[in-house]
Amino acid sequence: MPKGKPRKKTRKHEEIQKQVSGIHLVRERGQHLLKNPLIVNGIIEKAALRSTDVVLEVGPGTGNMTVKLLDQCKRVVACEVDPRMAAELQKRVLGTPASQKLEIMVGDVIKTELPFFDVCVANLPYQISSPFVFKLLLHRPFFRCAILMFQREFAQRLVAKPGDKLYCRLSANTQLLARVDHLMKVGKNNFRPPPKVESSVVRIEPRNPPPPINFKEWDGLLRILFNRKNKTLSACFRTSTVLELLEKNYRIHCSCNSIAVPKDFNVKNAVKEIIVGCGYAEKRSKSMDIDDFLTVLEGFNSQVFALGQ
């Protein structure tokens, strides 16, 4: 048997798998439709929907989850980037009472202004996971919760704790603004076509009210610390690039607020005094929790250092 024959059969099988209702699914665009009704039902159950809820669904595809959401809530706003999928979803509910409860937004959810919603449910293309999480967390007014499907490793980063291998800036940033829980693992065979990676579902509940800090300042601090998360804080703040940035921001802040810069000002000594005074000079960011970072941020703010400008 020629070597090429099995390959042709495999390609043909893959092409069949990529066709849904005559729509060619594009793997590179993250188009993997959730086909297992048990997983769909599990996600909806975890959302704990109320009859008065407005649900934002991102990536509805052909509507396997959408039609079930419509049965349990007041309204669904479905955001879909692919006009073909949006048309298929519209056709699916056409002529039913559910059609009056469905609003379809066609476009890139990252570039779209989000409407009011109580609950968000999303099966996201993995390449937009991080920007979408922060778009959600900075969205106002506050929503109650979000049930989101992510690539397994990304989900593990969201819930990672200090000391975990995957603990990173994403972990700390997310956990500052929300409570994050891992809900379930979802194998690749639950999708059509199957993605190359395993997935997980997480629940995000924003902290309301949020911590009373400047998020740009906070993120600026974390960028410095997690850039070298295995180094001590002393080492992180000893590099010339970081010191130059801090001195520039310090002088700008002083200038904008009519604060005189001391003639003998030395940024290296000032930074050392702050982190030693906080008691974190020998700590490493990989093992620091939210309260630790907040203490360090407060130390810099007390000396009018602007980390996030």
Side-chain angles (χ1 to χ4, degrees), residues 195-225:
K196 295 180 180 179
V197 296
E198 303 293 339
S199 303
S200 281
V201 177
V202 303
R203 178 187 178 93
I204 294 179
E205 296 180 30
R207 301 190 190 280
N208 186 8
I213 62 170
N214 183 318
F215 185 74
K216 288 185 177 180
E217 293 269 341
W218 163 272
D219 191 49
L221 173 66
L222 263 58
R223 283 177 184 274
I224 292 170
L225 297 184

Side-chain angles (χ1 to χ4, degrees), residues 176-207:
L176 171 79
L177 298 173
R179 175 183 172 182
V180 191
D181 297 299
H182 184 280
L183 298 181
M184 68 178 89
K185 296 179 179 179
V186 182
K188 60 181 74 174
N189 290 328
N190 291 290
F191 297 89
R192 189 186 330 155
K196 295 180 180 179
V197 296
E198 303 293 339
S199 303
S200 281
V201 177
V202 303
R203 178 187 178 93
I204 294 179
E205 296 180 30
R207 301 190 190 280

Side-chain angles (χ1 to χ4, degrees), residues 33 43 59 99 105 114 117 136 150 153 183 204 209 216 221 306:
L33 303 185
I43 290 173
S99 64
M105 298 170 57
L114 299 181
F117 61 93
L136 268 187
F150 293 119
E153 184 174 314
L183 298 181
I204 294 179
K216 288 185 177 180
L221 173 66

Side-chain angles (χ1 to χ4, degrees), residues 237-251:
F237 283 105
R238 199 181 296 146
T239 64
S240 58
T241 304
V242 170
L243 290 173
E244 287 170 6
L245 173 67
L246 290 176
E247 180 166 9
K248 176 184 175 183
N249 289 348
Y250 175 78
R251 292 184 180 279

Side-chain angles (χ1 to χ4, degrees), residues 37-82:
L38 294 178
I39 301 295
V40 172
N41 291 339
I43 290 173
I44 294 174
E45 181 183 344
K46 297 296 184 182
L49 296 176
R50 303 167 186 168
S51 60
T52 55
D53 281 341
V54 175
V55 177
L56 173 67
E57 185 187 10
V58 181
T62 55
N64 291 340
M65 188 177 297
T66 315
V67 292
K68 295 188 177 184
L69 290 170
L70 287 166
D71 286 339
Q72 297 193 29
C73 66
K74 179 181 178 181
R75 188 160 59 94
V76 173
V77 180
C79 189
E80 174 58 60
V81 71
D82 191 334

